[in-house]
Structure formats: C-alpha cells, structure tokens
Amino acid sequence: QVQLAESGGGLVQPGSSLRLSCAASGRTLSSATMGWFRQAPGKEREFVAVIRLGETKPNYADSVRGRFTISRDNPKNTMYLQMNDLKPEDTAVYYCAGSGSRIILSAIGSPRMYTYWGQGTQVTVSS
C-alpha cells in the first residue's frame, strides 16, 4: 500500500510561482508512474503532468506546458511540481497520483488508471 501526501499549495498572485511536493510512504516509487491532476470547482479532475520511471521526458497538459515542471527524487520518495507564471485558471485542488505499473502514454490522462491518490492541496491564483 502506498500513501501519498501533497504539500506546498497556497494563495498567490498571477505571475507567481509555487512548488508542490508529494511525499510517498509505504513503498518505493522506483517502479511507479507518478502524476499530478487538478480539479477546479464544478469541473472534472484533469491531467496536469506525469513522469514515468526510466523516462527523461515527462508529459504535460497543453495548458501547463512550458510553465510547469514535474520531477521526482526516488531516494527521497518524493515528487514535485514546479509551477511558474501562475494564472487564475490554474486555481484548483491539486492531487498527486501514482500507479505501481507503467501506464501507457495514451492512458496517462485518465484518473482511473492511477491506484494511489493524495488528499489534495489547494492552489489559488488571484490578485
């Protein structure tokens, strides 16, 4: 069993940066697909970014590509989401998600492919 815990959310102004962290406990991340999703009020949970073990090139949603960077530190069992140039439309609860298996690229955006979820951290971008 894997437990995930996000941290780092907050209230920031447009153009600001935040770094979210996702700490995993219970087992190593070394064989996992790890990703970030977000959910705004009244909207479905949407894919943000994913990083798979052994790959050097993560995948991003079009809406965040070039502004967000996902990374993982396997020895620390921690994943990060560096968010730059934040916009009001980035406001949402951000969730980290994990899978013990390698999710194929065509399915990385589907929340149901991920087994483990954190409790979420709120990010609010407002002036």
Side-chain angles (χ1 to χ4, degrees):
Q1 189 71 13
V2 175
Q3 293 80 43
L4 302 177
E6 305 94 337
S7 61
L11 171 63
V12 297
Q13 294 185 339
S16 299
S17 298
L18 277 176
R19 188 175 82 155
L20 305 183
S21 298
C22 173
S25 60
R27 62 175 285 182
T28 179
L29 290 180
S30 64
S31 60
T33 298
M34 298 295 295
W36 289 95
F37 286 76
R38 66 186 182 186
Q39 188 166 18
K43 295 187 177 181
E44 294 186 352
R45 192 165 298 189
E46 67 171 358
F47 168 75
V48 175
V50 69
I51 186 166
R52 301 186 300 174
L53 180 69
E55 291 194 347
T56 58
K57 185 178 180 181
N59 290 273
Y60 298 94
D62 290 342
S63 58
V64 307
R65 188 175 292 111
R67 299 187 297 123
F68 291 11
T69 302
I70 187 173
S71 62
R72 60 194 291 173
D73 186 335
N74 288 336
K76 293 184 178 181
N77 270 355
T78 303
M79 178 178 66
Y80 305 97
L81 185 68
Q82 177 66 42
M83 306 186 294
N84 298 329
D85 189 23
L86 282 161
K87 306 175 185 300
E89 52 264 40
D90 295 318
T91 295
V93 177
Y94 283 71
Y95 298 91
C96 66
S99 171
S101 59
R102 185 179 178 86
I103 300 173
I104 60 175
L105 282 178
S106 60
I108 57 172
S110 175
R112 67 176 183 270
M113 298 301 294
Y114 296 79
T115 306
Y116 309 110
W117 290 88
Q119 79 288 352
T121 185
Q122 177 70 46
V123 172
T124 303
V125 185
S126 175
S127 55

